[in-house]
Amino acid sequence: MIALKFGGTSVANAQNIKLVIDIVNQKAKSDKLAVVVSALSGVTDMLINASKKAASKDESYKNSIEEIKQKHFDAIGDLVESVNQNQLLIRINSQINQLQTLLDGCFLLGELSPRTADAIAGFGELLSSQIIATALQQTIPNSNFKDSREIIKTNSNFGKAAVDFDLTNKLISDYFSTNKSQVVVLPGFIANDENGNTTTLGRGGSDYTAAIIANGIHAESLEIWTDVNGMYTANPKIVKQAQPIESISYQEAMELSHFGAKVLYPPTIQPVLKANIPIWIKNTFEPNAFGTLISNQNEVGLNPIKGISHIDNIALITLEGSGMIGVAGSSKRLFEVLSQNAINVIFITQASSEHSICVGILNHDAEKAKLAIDSAFEIEIAQGKIDSCSVEKDLCIVALVGENMKNHQGLSGKMFSTLGKNNVNIRAIAQGASERNISVVINEKDVKKALNTLHERFFEDNTKQLNLFVMGVGNVGEKFIDQIHQQKKFLKENLKINVRVIALSNSKKMVFNEEGIDLKDWKNAIENGENTNVDEFISRAKELNLRNSIFVDITANYDVASIYEQFLKQSIAVVTCNKIACSSQYNNYKNLKSLSRKYNAPFLFETNVGAGLPIIDTLKNLIASGDKVNRINAVLSGSLNFIFNNFSETYSFHDVVKEAGLQGFTEPDPKIDLSGIDVARKILILIRESGNMMEMEDIVNNCFLPEECMNTTNNDDFFASLIKHSSHFEQLLADAKANDSRLKFVASFNQGKASVGLQQIPKESPFYNLEGKDNIVEFYTDRYIDQPLIIKGAGAGAAVTASGIFADVIRIGNV
Ligand code: ADP
Ligand code: ASP
Ligand code: MG
């Protein structure tokens, strides 16, 4: 015989029940079956809510009765042929009348005893099982209904009654050994106490009913049919990358379910484990999927971790004080108090100093527990030997589970560092003596991030997901997104980095998608997005709380440069090509760097100097390896280089500057380039990255623009002033030619002093032949004394800048 159990979603409505009937028809061809069913999805909740409403004199419980009635009548209409309907409708109707009488009673008395609560809650299974049994009889005439209450006997602990296995096993065995039916359908969840009252086995208890029956009939196997393809490596509703586990031991499955894997009600395993009956978890909606086999054969795979699970709504109670040290029995008293008050302890840690003990319980038990504990330790508290116990709510337990964990060192270290890197604060830690699990208590708001990061770390072949929040989709931004789109597959396969763009924003519109924006269609997405609101952008990024979040600033905007701090403080990395922050007040630059360290959030700005050229990264490596920068000479403006390389007697200064703007080589405001400010910012950043403290005002700017050009306030006036002063520029060119030199805008740092300005560069200089929009930097250091370390290449342009930003993002992925 086989025992099968179909859960709430599997029997949610007539359509789903038809799938169940197909599965049962198929199985019944070769085996006798005991089929346990849950209530139609949501009905148990409705019943419990209705009883609470009735007891609190809220008449709307009557609507719930109507709704429940309608749900079941609809199912009958769709599943049962008209000739068979009448009798069933009469039976169901009479039971709904009984339900109504019970609820009316609660309403009149304004109270709900545990006994009545169970009687009401059990109606869901009672109704569903009779309907399914009748529907099945149409295809399997030799099938029958049996009320589980007649064969499962419990104590009177209503809400979660304990089974009397001796009596129950005998009753089950007697019934099935004489019963000739091919299929017997039974309600899950409900049983009877010795007085004949209905009891329930705890929420989710239909799994347990099926296990009790499986044990009683010595079933070949127990099949739990649900709405997912088995027991997963983590809850598939929260961790998209979770995978079904093909085979798992009873102990591991028990541990996972104890720590919240709802797919299996924890007590289910006990009865079948003793009888060594394998459990299959199968999907009603994908019956051909393999599912999960739970048995005593533990396949030791390469991964010592089998799964990750979690329990929400946890409160931590801490009892501490010097009075606990060396005093035998404090913990015993604590647990006794909790037990006397029927408070379930889910998690325990005790500091080895015995100075404090910490237990995890459900949120809703927290107040009751505090009152009880404080009163039990009243004397010690009054004497100041123990503090009144502290309660911290809205926490969550996350557990790593695996039989083989005991044979592997360093798993807990990996777990903690993975969480730490993502700024998930761990409140308490416990490792079971069996070493089959390590569990941590964290804040509930971090649970999704924690589960996903841990899953990534332990199951996804080290694939790292990076979640980008991008601001600025102009020339460079557009190229950046295209590059991500193009490289996505390569990165995933070769570097094990999965890049997703979660948010995109320009100055007008922004769009968010937690699953990642479709980069094929990003322009459309942003156009149809909501109006840009920077505060909202920041708070959404915080709220989403995704692991490995990166804010990418591809603007040249002051306001955007001022929000990095808010991201870094949330452990969100910042990648920027915007130079404003790093060239602002030294204190601000320093603060951002130290926040980055404190919150473990990279702050990268390689493209601030030399676009895609690896200048800052090289500098960082020099410094990190103990070198010291003494002198820097550099041509750092691709725009100015382009301008002075093309400016000639036949190509006027004004026209070249215009052309540079059109080709995207200058800032939107070309004066920022021509005035030397942009170059001054860059050398300032290099100086700071070399470990020196310097402010913008300390840099001497030998400006070559006439004062009138400098004083203009808009682009039109600026260009007009370039025409007006054309002879000034022509003279600069003529002077250089006369000296057989070329004009280059050079930045230098020497002996603690820095300057920027136009210089005549003679033929012998490596700067002389700098073509197009190239940049060059010479670092003279303790190690590079006579011959500098030179970095040279394209230093401006949207594509190279975008690839520089991209490289920063990948650097974070490789950390
Ligand atoms: P049923 O109504 O069939 O008893 P449940 O809702 O009780 O189904 O259990 C199935 C659900 O358990 C899944 O839909 C999933 O959301 C949740 N779940 C939590 N953790 C896991 C896990 N590790 N593997 C599979 N499902 C899980
Ligand atoms: N219907 C019950 C519940 O919702 C039992 C079950 O479905 O397993 O808790
Ligand atoms: Mg369930």
Side-chain angles (χ1 to χ4, degrees):
M1 271 191 95
I2 300 179
L4 294 88
K5 176 259 173 177
F6 292 90
T9 20
S10 302
V11 298
N13 47 42
Q15 197 187 349
N16 295 2
I17 294 173
K18 283 179 186 160
L19 299 177
V20 170
I21 291 177
D22 286 346
I23 294 168
V24 174
N25 280 337
Q26 192 60 32
K27 301 241 156 211
K29 284 184 193 155
S30 49
D31 285 292
K32 286 177 99 179
L33 311 175
V35 175
V36 174
V37 297
S38 283
L40 309 194
S41 173
V43 167
T44 312
D45 283 338
M46 286 162 76
L47 288 164
I48 293 173
N49 287 337
S51 60
K52 287 182 181 156
K53 277 186 197 160
S56 59
K57 298 268 179 198
D58 173 351
E59 278 195 71
S60 68
Y61 75 90
K62 291 182 179 151
N63 303 336
S64 310
I65 300 177
E66 266 320 297
E67 205 181 324
I68 291 169
K69 182 170 171 180
Q70 201 51 52
K71 234 176 158 49
H72 291 88
F73 278 26
D74 285 349
I76 294 172
D78 286 344
L79 291 167
V80 181
E81 287 160 19
S82 337
V83 283
N84 302 329
Q85 275 184 15
N86 239 1
Q87 222 187 345
L88 179 63
L89 282 172
I90 291 168
R91 220 160 68 216
I92 297 290
N93 204 27
S94 121
Q95 282 163 6
I96 291 198
N97 285 340
Q98 287 171 26
L99 167 67
Q100 173 147 20
T101 310
L102 284 172
L103 287 166
D104 288 344
C106 293
F107 181 76
L108 283 175
L109 295 169
E111 71 172 28
L112 176 66
S113 70
R115 190 176 71 167
T116 313
D118 265 13
I120 293 172
F123 268 91
E125 270 70 9
L126 199 57
L127 299 175
S128 68
S129 55
Q130 294 173 87
I131 295 170
I132 293 166
T134 311
L136 253 180
Q137 272 160 353
Q138 296 170 158
T139 48
I140 308 176
N142 185 18
S143 61
N144 270 307
F145 167 79
K146 176 72 177 171
D147 189 335
S148 310
R149 291 175 296 185
E150 293 167 16
I151 49 176
I152 300 183
K153 301 294 170 184
T154 66
N155 66 8
S156 302
N157 186 14
F158 297 101
K160 201 172 183 178
V163 176
D164 174 347
F165 274 99
D166 290 342
L167 180 55
T168 299
N169 283 341
K170 184 175 180 313
L171 290 169
I172 293 175
S173 170
D174 287 353
Y175 171 73
F176 280 93
S177 59
T178 52
N179 188 285
K180 297 280 174 279
S181 307
Q182 189 66 10
V183 177
V184 178
V185 179
L186 308 100
F189 190 46
I190 49 176
N192 258 2
D193 69 3
E194 60 183 3
N195 301 319
N197 297 309
T198 299
T199 56
T200 62
L201 302 174
R203 293 305 307 268
S206 296
D207 295 346
Y208 192 31
T209 306
I212 297 164
I213 304 277
N215 179 36
I217 60 176
H218 306 292
E220 265 166 60
S221 63
L222 163 63
E223 298 182 2
I224 305 280
W225 289 79
T226 180
D227 58 354
V228 286
N229 281 343
M231 190 167 229
Y232 278 62
T233 46
N235 185 345
K237 303 258 162 72
I238 304 180
V239 178
K240 290 277 169 332
Q241 313 294 332
Q243 295 291 326
I245 304 167
E246 288 198 351
S247 160
I248 186 168
S249 71
Y250 289 120
Q251 281 77 9
E252 288 170 324
M254 196 139 52
E255 209 92 11
L256 277 175
S257 73
H258 174 76
F259 281 105
K262 180 175 172 246
V263 66
L264 197 64
Y265 181 53
T268 306
I269 295 176
Q270 285 154 16
V272 290
L273 175 123
K274 272 199 212 133
N276 202 5
I277 299 168
I279 307 177
W280 281 93
I281 312 270
K282 297 281 288 179
N283 189 349
T284 304
F285 306 94
E286 254 188 87
N288 293 326
F290 185 81
T292 297
L293 171 63
I294 306 172
S295 68
N296 63 2
Q297 285 163 9
N298 183 30
E299 283 188 15
V300 181
L302 288 177
N303 194 346
I305 314 281
K306 267 291 165 59
I308 307 170
S309 52
H310 77 284
I311 314 177
D312 290 324
N313 297 321
I314 293 292
L316 267 189
I317 305 267
T318 308
L319 188 66
E320 64 185 328
S322 56
M324 289 179 65
I325 304 174
V327 180
S330 309
S331 352
K332 178 168 171 273
R333 274 169 65 202
L334 173 67
F335 291 113
E336 260 168 18
V337 177
L338 293 170
S339 150
Q340 280 155 9
N341 285 275
I343 294 167
N344 192 16
V345 175
I346 303 165
F347 177 102
I348 307 166
T349 58
Q350 180 163 28
S352 50
S353 66
E354 292 185 52
H355 181 237
S356 77
I357 183 159
C358 185
V359 294
I361 59 175
L362 287 174
N363 261 339
H364 67 72
D365 285 333
E367 275 78 29
K368 188 162 79 168
K370 180 170 167 57
L371 276 178
I373 297 169
D374 281 352
S375 114
F377 289 88
E378 199 176 0
I379 298 169
E380 287 91 335
I381 294 172
Q383 291 170 340
K385 288 185 183 158
I386 289 182
D387 303 335
S388 143
C389 77
S390 72
V391 179
E392 207 179 334
K393 289 175 78 170
D394 299 326
L395 302 170
C396 168
I397 297 176
V398 173
L400 290 188
V401 171
E403 192 84 57
N404 205 24
M405 280 167 63
K406 53 182 170 293
N407 300 323
H408 285 73
Q409 268 92 45
L411 291 174
S412 44
K414 258 190 211 169
M415 181 186 197
F416 306 150
S417 70
T418 306
L419 293 174
K421 270 190 196 146
N422 274 279
N423 204 26
V424 174
N425 193 15
I426 299 174
R427 294 287 307 103
I429 298 166
Q431 179 157 22
S434 66
E435 291 192 49
R436 215 175 275 133
N437 82 68
I438 308 171
S439 41
V440 294
V441 177
I442 61 171
N443 266 321
E444 212 156 72
K445 71 170 181 31
D446 288 328
V447 68
K448 191 170 172 196
K449 180 158 82 173
L451 290 173
N452 278 282
T453 342
L454 290 173
H455 196 269
E456 189 171 87
R457 183 73 185 81
F458 289 103
F459 290 101
E460 292 169 37
D461 205 9
N462 287 337
T463 295
K464 193 163 187 177
Q465 187 168 93
L466 302 179
N467 295 303
L468 309 190
F469 296 80
V470 181
M471 212 173 245
V473 284
N475 256 344
V476 178
E478 189 168 318
K479 288 266 172 348
F480 173 67
I481 293 163
D482 288 348
Q483 288 175 6
I484 296 181
H485 186 36
Q486 255 173 31
Q487 288 303 97
K488 216 172 152 57
K489 197 158 166 262
F490 174 86
L491 291 174
K492 212 167 175 176
E493 286 169 6
N494 294 283
L495 299 183
K496 304 260 180 254
I497 294 177
N498 180 17
V499 183
R500 302 190 315 169
V501 177
I502 305 298
L504 276 176
S505 158
N506 58 26
S507 54
K508 296 190 189 73
K509 297 276 182 183
M510 61 181 193
V511 59
F512 277 77
N513 184 340
E514 199 183 335
E515 304 303 324
I517 294 165
D518 179 1
L519 296 185
K520 269 206 293 286
D521 203 23
W522 67 269
K523 285 194 178 154
N524 210 7
I526 201 167
E527 244 163 55
N528 295 319
E530 51 200 291
N531 290 341
T532 294
N533 176 333
V534 176
D535 291 336
E536 176 70 19
F537 188 97
I538 302 170
S539 58
R540 288 258 195 104
K542 281 186 202 166
E543 272 160 29
L544 280 171
N545 200 10
L546 298 173
R547 67 198 184 282
N548 308 321
S549 290
I550 307 176
F551 173 63
V552 186
D553 176 9
I554 320 186
T555 72
N557 189 294
Y558 274 92
D559 295 337
V560 179
S562 68
I563 61 178
Y564 301 166
E565 178 167 348
Q566 298 188 56
F567 289 110
L568 294 172
K569 281 185 172 165
Q570 297 294 321
S571 291
I572 297 177
V574 173
V575 167
T576 176
C577 65
N578 182 348
K579 298 178 224 27
I580 292 171
C582 287
S583 59
S584 63
Q585 292 291 312
Y586 182 78
N587 278 344
N588 185 41
Y589 158 84
K590 203 70 204 156
N591 176 41
L592 293 174
K593 300 275 285 187
S594 69
L595 287 176
S596 156
R597 267 191 302 275
K598 178 168 174 198
Y599 291 95
N600 217 333
F603 172 41
L604 300 180
F605 40 87
E606 180 61 76
T607 46
N608 277 4
V609 182
L613 293 177
I615 299 176
I616 295 181
D617 200 45
T618 308
L619 186 53
K620 269 192 193 152
N621 291 335
L622 285 180
I623 305 292
S625 65
D627 206 351
K628 180 170 177 294
V629 176
N630 303 315
R631 188 147 71 89
I632 305 172
N633 268 332
V635 172
L636 292 174
S637 171
S639 343
L640 287 175
N641 215 28
F642 176 88
I643 291 167
F644 285 106
N645 279 345
N646 288 287
F647 174 35
S648 69
E649 288 81 359
T650 53
Y651 199 173
S652 79
F653 191 70
H654 164 273
D655 289 357
V656 181
V657 176
K658 254 271 129 78
E659 180 60 25
L662 287 177
Q663 291 205 27
F665 298 152
T666 61
E667 299 278 327
D669 171 4
K671 209 165 68 179
I672 295 189
D673 291 302
L674 282 118
S675 63
I677 295 180
D678 189 57
V679 174
R681 282 179 183 161
K682 290 175 180 169
I683 190 79
L684 180 66
I685 295 169
L686 291 185
I687 293 167
R688 288 176 172 177
E689 287 291 295
S690 308
N692 301 286
M693 194 187 123
M694 190 176 275
E695 296 290 1
M696 194 69 173
E697 305 81 74
D698 302 332
I699 298 176
V700 178
N701 185 348
N702 301 311
C703 184
F704 68 90
L705 285 181
E707 204 167 325
E708 193 180 336
C709 303
M710 282 300 287
N711 290 339
T712 54
T713 51
N714 61 56
N715 280 2
D716 287 345
D717 291 353
F718 179 70
F719 278 107
S721 78
L722 293 186
I723 295 178
K724 189 170 165 197
H725 289 275
S726 53
S727 62
H728 165 76
F729 301 111
E730 282 154 16
Q731 191 58 50
L732 291 173
L733 186 64
D735 290 349
K737 283 229 157 137
N739 291 330
D740 223 4
S741 298
R742 284 184 172 169
L743 290 172
K744 301 283 169 196
F745 197 86
V746 177
S748 43
F749 169 68
N750 194 0
Q751 316 259 353
K753 296 212 169 355
S755 66
V756 298
L758 200 60
Q759 291 181 9
Q760 294 183 4
I761 302 292
K763 273 208 168 91
E764 316 74 74
S765 163
F767 290 9
Y768 184 85
N769 283 320
L770 207 58
E771 299 301 334
K773 47 194 188 324
D774 281 4
N775 277 196
I776 185 166
V777 188
E778 296 178 336
F779 288 116
Y780 290 87
T781 70
D782 282 357
R783 289 184 200 142
Y784 293 88
I785 303 167
D786 301 322
Q787 291 298 321
L789 171 66
I790 299 180
I791 301 166
K792 182 179 163 188
V800 284
T801 309
S803 69
I805 301 170
F806 198 24
D808 273 347
V809 168
I810 300 306
R811 267 182 201 112
I812 296 176
N814 283 332
V815 172

